[in-house]
Amino acid sequence: VSQVKKNPSRRETLSNMMDSEAHEKRPPILTSSKQDISPHITNVGEMKHYLCGCCAAFNNVAITFPIQKILFRQQLYGIKTRDAVLQLRRDGFRNLYRGILPPLMQKTTTLALMFGLYEDLSSLLQKHVSAPEFATRGVAAVLAGTTEAIFTPLERVQTLLQDHKHHDKFTNTYQAFRALKCHGIGEYYRGLVPILFRNGSSNVLFFGLRGPIKEHLPTATTHSAHLVNDFICGGLLGAMLGFLFFPVNVVKTRIQSQIGGEFQSFPKVFKTIWLERDRKLTNLFRGAHLNYHRSLISWGIINATYEFLLKVI
């Protein structure tokens, strides 16, 4: 102590050290709450596209599932619309929504990924890849469609539950999954090749043409007019793509209706169906008109709901 009193410089040094230690122990002063909140706001904004896609899919499946079921019967058996409707009538109202859980799970998940991943990957590629915007967006669309194919097992089980030939084998989604388990993991992914081709190609066309089509529609000045334009834009694209990829879905349905046995290639199954239907395009596209109208309604609902929720959330 006596040394400190004799040496003023040392006393000042000790005083400064004590002040700095006290300053370190003090709790930090929150000078700006925005700095702490902004990361959370950004995270919510990033998830918006996923949430909107999920809700749009739920809305669509709940409304259009009975139409999809009629179309499925036509794709699988090559029967007329009237005969497919009679099949569903014989099945009864109790079985009308049988099999809705897999498409509900599959569609809500895949459409969330479709819209969300497309936006995220587009931004990521544009920042890190020196390429034209149409190229980066095209790659983002293909990658989003490829990621969707992870959920092929849900589409596989949906096919089995909608096929009346399997009604006596299992009655719900859980039983259908268990029935495939003994055949190995590959059994869940029957039909993966046509799904990958369909998802990637249709995503590129959907996201690439959605903007230009909307630009050619009458200018919307009200919220309801925007909703109508979004419905028309999505509906036209969905109908066109549904018709274009209809034969791919026919082959996919046939592949996925099988349980066990040989894994047949896409060309081989297509050739079998082509011969069964007398080598006529009209027979191959049987049910395409109903698919056209279903896709028109489905993608109209999806696009309108998605764009509406983007503005609301």
Side-chain angles (χ1 to χ4, degrees):
V1 174
S2 61
Q3 288 179 356
V4 170
K5 288 180 180 178
K6 291 177 183 178
N7 194 341
S9 61
R10 184 174 294 182
R11 183 169 54 192
E12 289 175 2
T13 304
L14 286 172
S15 177
N16 291 337
M17 288 173 63
M18 290 172 69
D19 288 342
S20 63
E21 287 177 0
H23 179 73
E24 288 176 0
K25 291 178 181 179
R26 286 190 201 122
I29 298 172
L30 297 177
T31 55
S32 175
S33 60
K34 290 181 181 178
Q35 292 178 352
D36 298 318
I37 295 172
S38 58
H40 300 287
I41 293 174
T42 305
N43 291 337
V44 172
E46 288 175 355
M47 293 301 295
K48 184 166 69 170
H49 294 283
Y50 294 92
L51 180 60
C52 292
C54 179
C55 294
F58 184 92
N59 195 25
N60 166 56
V61 173
I63 295 171
T64 63
F65 184 76
I67 303 173
Q68 169 61 29
K69 204 161 189 179
I70 294 170
L71 172 65
F72 168 82
R73 297 288 176 89
Q74 289 188 278
Q75 287 180 335
L76 187 58
Y77 302 117
I79 57 179
K80 295 180 180 179
T81 304
R82 182 174 175 273
D83 296 329
V85 172
L86 288 174
Q87 274 191 7
L88 292 186
R89 187 176 292 179
R90 283 194 295 269
D91 291 343
F93 181 78
R94 183 180 177 182
N95 288 318
L96 182 61
Y97 277 88
R98 171 189 161 93
I100 193 175
L101 184 59
L104 202 59
M105 294 167 62
Q106 184 243 343
K107 284 293 182 185
T108 51
T109 308
T110 56
L111 279 179
L113 289 175
M114 173 182 160
F115 285 105
L117 281 178
Y118 171 73
E119 294 295 336
D120 286 348
L121 291 171
S122 294
S123 301
L124 188 68
L125 290 171
Q126 285 173 26
K127 287 178 183 177
H128 297 92
V129 178
S130 56
E133 185 178 350
F134 77 89
T136 56
R137 288 191 174 277
V139 172
V142 171
L143 291 175
T146 303
T147 308
E148 291 174 54
I150 294 171
F151 298 95
T152 294
L154 293 173
E155 196 167 345
R156 169 87 162 107
V157 170
Q158 176 192 351
T159 301
L160 297 175
L161 287 172
Q162 289 185 347
D163 186 358
H164 75 277
K165 289 183 178 179
H166 298 299
H167 279 191
D168 59 334
K169 296 178 183 176
F170 28 76
T171 58
N172 55 49
T173 304
Y174 176 72
Q175 289 180 359
F177 269 108
R178 287 200 63 180
L180 297 177
K181 186 178 179 181
C182 62
H183 297 283
I185 190 68
E187 193 67 31
Y188 291 103
Y189 283 89
R190 273 189 190 266
L192 180 62
V193 172
I195 287 173
L196 283 171
F197 175 73
R198 180 199 65 191
N199 287 3
S201 304
S202 60
N203 275 11
V204 171
L205 293 171
F206 179 81
F207 288 114
L209 297 175
R210 189 170 57 151
I213 288 177
K214 191 173 181 180
E215 287 175 3
H216 285 81
L217 294 174
T219 305
T221 54
T222 63
H223 291 297
S224 57
H226 275 290
L227 202 64
V228 171
N229 278 3
D230 289 328
F231 182 90
I232 293 171
C233 176
L236 287 175
L237 266 174
M240 180 194 75
L241 295 175
F243 185 83
L244 184 64
F245 292 99
F246 187 82
V248 178
N249 280 325
V250 169
V251 176
K252 188 270 305 180
T253 301
R254 175 65 67 88
I255 292 172
Q256 291 191 326
S257 65
Q258 178 184 340
I259 299 177
E262 179 189 358
F263 277 75
Q264 296 183 334
S265 65
F266 183 91
K268 186 176 181 180
V269 176
F270 179 82
K271 184 179 179 181
T272 302
I273 295 171
W274 178 251
L275 294 173
E276 285 178 0
R277 302 191 182 184
D278 301 324
R279 302 181 182 182
K280 292 181 180 179
L281 276 175
T282 52
N283 292 339
L284 184 64
F285 277 86
R286 183 167 285 171
H289 68 289
L290 183 62
N291 181 63
Y292 178 89
H293 293 100
R294 182 198 64 83
S295 298
L296 185 70
I297 297 168
S298 291
W299 282 98
I301 292 170
I302 290 168
N303 198 52
T305 305
Y306 174 78
E307 293 294 339
F308 173 76
L309 291 174
L310 274 182
K311 296 167 188 172
V312 172
I313 298 176

